[in-house]
Amino acid sequence: MGHCLSGALRFTAIFSPLRCPSKPSTFLTSIRAFGTSRRFSIMSAASLPASVEALSLQSTAQKSQFANCFPTLNPMDIYRQHIAEELAKAADIDAQKIYPRIAWTSTLDKGDLSLPVCGRRRNSWLLFRLSKKTPWSLLRSLPPSSPPPTLFTPPTPLGPHIQFFCKPKPLTDNVLGRILKEKSAYGTNGNQGQKDPSDPSKGQKKIIIEFSSPNIAKPFHAGHLRSTIIGGFLANIYTVMGWDVIKMNYLGDWGKQYGLLANGFKYFGNEEALVKDPINHLFDVYVKVNRQVSEQEGPIKELKEQIKAKKEKSEDVAELETELAKLVDVSEDEKARRYFKSMEDGDPEALALWRKFRDLSIEKYKQTYARLNIDFDVYSGESQIKSESMTDAYKLMEQAGVSEKSEGAVIVDFTKHGAKKLGKAIIVRKDGTPLYLTRDIGAITERDDEYHFDKMIYVVAAQQDLHLAQLFKVTELMGHKDLASRCQHINFGMVRGMSTRKGTVKFLDDILRDVGDKMHEVMKKNEVKYSQVEDPEKTADILGITSVMVQDMTGKRVNGYDFNLDAMTSFEGDTGPYLQYAHARLCSMARKSELDVNELVNANFDLLTEQHAVDLVRLLAQWPDVLLQTAKTLEPITVLSYLFKMTHMLSSSYDVLKVIGSEPDVKQARMALYASARQVLHNGMRVLGLSPVERCIGRQERDE
């Protein structure tokens, strides 16, 4: 094996050149000769949020001998392919075993690509296993290399890995040329979402993402906020990976509380207020009628305690029970139960009022979601689940021996089915009414029948881990193992201390209004810059929303965080406003340069020789891999960390790579670099669901 590796490492001298002309347009033309490349807009409806419209997608008909290798879509795939093919020739190793082990690096000091070559454990790095010689000693023993390859400098060892550093010129020509031509499509890969990569005619894989799911007439709490932000991000990442994405909002829109709300509306409702602001008005009604319920519960509870005490003494309780029955009969809680029963029985008048509440609430939600750059394809809910679906599920569970009767109720004892940690779950109450789990079982089968999805994701807080695990397990036990395997729960931690400055209820609009007001206060402190912003209130609103979303995405999903209004609205540190500032500064530079952005692709990239420029190009080359990695982790922080790394690099380069005042050719080349960085930053922010601004006011704002 040592001899084999020694021969393999000689590829430092024998790499065959890959044609990379200095002119990016020529290079892209030659690359596309491998196959056709197409780009199209995923969404085009005028009513959709701007960020949804801006999500573009490119795919290719190019064929490669390596799985998931698309040189026309990902510049680093050219380099991976070249390493695998040439190393296979030199070392007499199957290139198919080499290619998937060539990894992108997390930091530029570790190279642009890395290949593990040895390990102690049996399953570590099957490509090469060395017992005596390290990669370093092998490299030192090689004879002097002949002229270096076209694409790489000679490889270097780092522990058990070999590092590959791309040569600056061909990489710069490639990457900047792609970005300036492909724009919003750069980094996307529609081939990832194909049902069969070998036969694109079979179409895209379909995914349902269920997220947000607030309860009508109740506060839009922290869990709903996180679900909304994370779900919107997941929809975007699957979109740019070529999946057919269905965004579903599963509303809490059914149950006895709607009987309570309907009756409460008779006492406290106002049609004008309902139409003007349905969410807040229905919540006010709900609070007031619940106050009545609480007042009535006191005497009822007291009577129940008296009856219990008398029964323990074997005393007659008939009179008290009659009195209790009268109190219960006229209570709002009992009236709500009867009203909801009429809804379930299909009473037209009851359903008409419920439908009005639901429809008006959805219209209001749509306005709020639009501020977060989110739209839904389907507004579903508990009310939409057919009773036949639940009945069929009962029968199937009974026939499969999954369910059993227990004290008048129907349950599933998971401990009897090899899942002790899942405990027991009630499917049907003693009174015959279904529970949330029952409706979810009906929903999962209905969705499969209607959409024939390849994958379905539930974006729900970690507190519901048990519920979702029970849902997937019972689906499997019912005989739908394949269906259960296509479902995934994406969980998240909770937000601590989220409230508005006024101490009011935690509706999303209230929170967004608070952060928007805070950002407006910051902007007003710079009077000169404030006067240059065309619509400062709208900009403040966008900055505020960015603040909330970026704070939510900082850290892994499963971790909770403290809602900190002052910290999230700061222009210092890795915050939403800082990210917006970085984008706005690049836009400002483009305006002041007075260069035609459409001509930047013709710039002389050979002039970008400074290490700051080289490293920035290397980072921009990683963007397609960042998206692919994010599609695996499903963590917003994967994209966010990359964007902040880029903004830090940009910040340190401005004094070295000056645009204003430079020689014309140098000015154009540097502006091409910064325009490419702005495009990738813009693309990344769009994937996160943010709306990049072109003008921003912060303490760091200054002239270029």
Side-chain angles (χ1 to χ4, degrees):
M1 181 63 75
H3 172 74
C4 178
L5 181 58
S6 177
L9 290 178
R10 294 180 188 275
F11 78 105
T12 59
I14 64 173
F15 258 144
S16 61
L18 179 68
R19 188 178 300 279
C20 289
S22 59
K23 290 295 182 183
S25 57
T26 308
F27 173 74
L28 288 170
T29 301
S30 63
I31 286 296
R32 286 178 179 141
F34 285 104
T36 60
S37 177
R38 60 192 175 92
R39 186 181 310 133
F40 53 91
S41 174
I42 292 297
M43 300 286 188
S44 59
S47 60
L48 295 185
S51 70
V52 178
E53 289 181 338
L55 290 179
S56 298
L57 179 67
Q58 60 181 352
S59 59
T60 180
Q62 170 209 8
K63 303 294 183 183
S64 172
Q65 64 167 313
F66 304 113
N68 288 317
C69 178
F70 304 101
T72 62
L73 305 182
N74 185 343
M76 296 312 297
D77 281 355
I78 298 172
Y79 293 80
R80 290 188 184 89
Q81 181 173 273
H82 206 54
I83 291 173
E85 290 174 347
E86 297 303 323
L87 185 53
K89 295 175 187 175
D92 193 25
I93 298 172
D94 186 357
Q96 298 293 338
K97 294 181 179 179
I98 301 174
Y99 186 87
R101 290 177 170 81
I102 304 171
W104 70 298
T105 59
S106 56
T107 57
L108 296 179
D109 61 305
K110 295 179 181 178
D112 296 296
L113 293 170
S114 176
L115 178 68
V117 293
C118 63
R120 294 180 179 178
R121 290 176 295 184
R122 188 171 183 271
N123 292 324
S124 295
W125 305 306
L126 300 178
L127 185 58
F128 302 119
R129 288 202 301 273
L130 304 174
S131 57
K132 296 181 180 180
K133 286 191 174 183
T134 65
W136 174 238
S137 62
L138 279 167
L139 282 173
R140 290 182 62 185
S141 67
L142 291 175
S145 60
S146 55
T150 301
L151 296 182
F152 295 98
T153 60
T156 57
L158 179 66
H161 295 75
I162 293 179
Q163 300 172 307
F164 299 91
F165 289 86
C166 299
K167 280 203 160 185
K169 184 184 183 314
L171 185 69
T172 300
D173 290 344
N174 182 355
V175 173
L176 298 190
R178 285 174 183 256
I179 298 172
L180 293 171
K181 284 182 175 292
E182 296 170 9
K183 296 182 172 61
S184 60
Y186 175 67
T188 65
N189 190 331
N191 292 69
Q192 296 294 324
Q194 292 176 351
K195 286 181 179 289
D196 183 354
S198 65
D199 185 2
S201 67
K202 292 184 179 179
Q204 299 168 280
K205 289 182 284 188
K206 184 177 293 184
I207 183 171
I208 296 175
I209 303 178
E210 179 199 295
F211 63 104
S212 194
S213 306
N215 297 302
I216 290 177
K218 291 186 179 180
F220 193 107
H221 61 64
H224 298 135
L225 174 62
R226 292 217 72 189
S227 175
T228 303
I229 293 172
I230 295 169
F233 158 76
L234 292 175
N236 289 343
I237 198 69
Y238 275 102
T239 294
V240 298
M241 289 293 107
W243 287 62
D244 178 7
V245 180
I246 298 172
K247 291 165 284 185
M248 181 177 290
N249 200 333
Y250 187 67
L251 299 170
D253 64 349
W254 200 246
K256 188 180 73 174
Q257 69 267 27
Y258 289 96
L260 194 65
L261 186 64
N263 288 329
F265 193 75
K266 296 175 184 176
Y267 310 136
F268 311 111
N270 180 282
E271 285 290 337
E272 184 179 346
L274 175 66
V275 173
K276 183 178 180 181
D277 192 355
I279 304 294
N280 280 292
H281 183 60
L282 289 176
F283 178 70
D284 288 341
V285 169
Y286 192 72
V287 168
K288 290 175 181 177
V289 73
N290 266 286
R291 192 175 297 129
Q292 284 189 335
V293 172
S294 298
E295 292 171 355
Q296 293 170 349
E297 281 180 348
I300 291 174
K301 183 179 180 181
E302 186 178 337
L303 270 177
K304 286 181 178 179
E305 290 175 351
Q306 290 178 22
I307 291 171
K308 181 180 178 181
K310 282 183 173 290
K311 281 184 176 180
E312 290 174 351
K313 297 177 182 179
S314 300
E315 296 179 4
D316 181 46
V317 294
E319 187 176 341
L320 288 176
E321 286 182 334
T322 300
E323 186 178 350
L324 176 62
K326 290 180 180 178
L327 284 178
V328 170
D329 188 60
V330 298
S331 69
E332 291 302 325
D333 190 69
E334 177 60 21
K335 290 178 183 178
R337 188 194 67 77
R338 292 172 189 162
Y339 193 98
F340 179 60
K341 180 66 167 56
S342 72
M343 290 170 60
E344 289 200 306
D345 291 341
D347 178 81
E349 186 177 343
L351 288 177
L353 184 60
W354 161 81
R355 194 171 292 109
K356 178 191 284 188
F357 290 165
R358 186 180 190 274
D359 291 347
L360 288 172
S361 296
I362 288 175
E363 286 306 310
K364 180 61 177 177
Y365 279 134
K366 286 180 179 179
Q367 296 172 22
T368 302
Y369 288 131
R371 297 175 67 192
L372 295 171
N373 290 322
I374 289 171
D375 72 314
F376 286 92
D377 302 295
V378 179
Y379 278 87
S380 182
E382 299 166 45
S383 64
Q384 308 299 299
I385 310 307
K386 300 172 185 175
S387 58
E388 308 91 84
S389 299
M390 290 184 282
T391 302
D392 290 344
Y394 300 152
K395 292 178 180 178
L396 195 56
M397 282 187 279
E398 187 177 1
Q399 292 170 1
V402 176
S403 62
E404 60 185 84
K405 292 185 178 180
S406 175
E407 299 179 1
V410 178
I411 70 166
V412 173
D413 187 348
F414 291 98
T415 61
K416 296 180 180 179
H417 301 281
K420 294 182 179 180
K421 292 182 179 180
L422 300 185
K424 299 178 181 179
I426 299 174
I427 301 299
V428 184
R429 291 192 184 97
K430 294 179 182 179
D431 61 4
T433 56
L435 278 79
Y436 289 119
L437 180 60
T438 318
R439 293 188 180 279
D440 283 345
I441 294 169
I444 200 172
T445 54
E446 280 187 14
R447 293 174 189 178
D448 191 36
D449 291 339
E450 181 175 356
Y451 297 104
H452 306 290
F453 57 82
D454 297 278
K455 187 180 183 70
M456 179 160 63
I457 288 178
Y458 296 80
V459 186
V460 186
Q463 284 89 333
Q464 297 297 319
D465 282 355
L466 176 61
H467 174 79
L468 271 300
Q470 289 177 337
L471 171 62
F472 299 159
K473 187 63 179 179
V474 78
T475 301
E476 177 187 325
L477 294 173
M478 288 166 58
H480 298 305
K481 187 174 183 180
D482 172 67
L483 174 57
S485 70
R486 287 183 275 126
C487 297
Q488 181 180 4
H489 175 204
I490 295 295
N491 63 2
F492 52 84
M494 295 305 294
V495 186
R496 298 176 292 272
M498 189 180 80
S499 63
T500 66
R501 287 181 290 177
K502 298 176 182 178
T504 55
V505 71
K506 305 169 188 176
F507 282 113
L508 180 59
D509 279 338
D510 297 322
I511 297 161
L512 298 184
R513 187 182 306 114
D514 267 7
V515 292
D517 289 345
K518 179 73 174 179
M519 292 310 310
H520 205 185
E521 291 172 7
V522 174
M523 290 168 60
K524 286 180 178 177
K525 293 178 181 178
N526 190 328
E527 295 181 6
V528 176
K529 294 294 182 182
Y530 185 82
S531 64
Q532 298 174 2
V533 178
E534 184 175 342
D535 190 342
E537 291 187 357
K538 181 178 180 180
T539 300
D541 184 59
I542 293 173
L543 291 177
I545 291 169
T546 303
S547 301
V548 173
M549 295 178 72
V550 168
Q551 185 182 57
D552 193 275
M553 295 174 181
T554 303
K556 290 192 174 182
R557 294 187 320 267
V558 73
N559 298 330
Y561 65 89
D562 295 312
F563 190 85
N564 189 325
L565 189 62
D566 291 330
M568 73 168 71
T569 54
S570 173
F571 279 89
E572 305 293 340
D574 291 347
T575 64
Y578 175 76
L579 204 61
Q580 290 282 16
Y581 166 77
H583 183 269
R585 187 172 182 182
L586 290 169
C587 292
S588 173
M589 187 184 299
R591 288 192 299 270
K592 292 174 181 177
S593 73
E594 298 181 343
L595 293 173
D596 184 349
V597 293
N598 296 316
E599 293 297 321
L600 295 178
V601 70
N602 298 317
N604 183 1
F605 300 149
D606 291 350
L607 300 175
L608 298 173
T609 58
E610 298 86 356
Q611 193 60 46
H612 283 81
V614 171
D615 286 345
L616 184 53
V617 169
R618 294 171 65 202
L619 192 62
L620 297 177
Q622 290 185 352
W623 174 237
D625 281 337
V626 171
L627 281 179
L628 286 172
Q629 182 68 12
T630 305
K632 297 175 183 177
T633 67
L634 301 182
E635 294 276 3
I637 188 61
T638 307
V639 170
L640 193 60
S641 295
Y642 170 83
L643 296 184
F644 279 125
K645 187 187 299 183
M646 185 200 304
T647 57
H648 297 161
M649 187 177 289
L650 283 166
S651 181
S652 65
S653 71
Y654 291 136
D655 290 336
V656 178
L657 304 173
K658 292 182 178 294
V659 172
I660 308 302
S662 299
E663 292 296 320
D665 287 350
V666 174
K667 177 181 178 181
Q668 187 183 40
R670 289 176 177 175
M671 195 60 244
L673 175 65
Y674 286 131
S676 298
R678 188 213 64 81
Q679 184 66 65
V680 173
L681 179 57
H682 184 278
N683 294 357
M685 293 174 73
R686 287 300 197 189
V687 168
L688 293 175
L690 307 177
S691 297
V693 298
E694 295 188 3
R695 292 183 184 273
C696 184
I697 303 172
R699 282 177 291 175
Q700 302 182 53
E701 183 78 11
R702 69 181 189 185
D703 292 330
E704 304 305 335

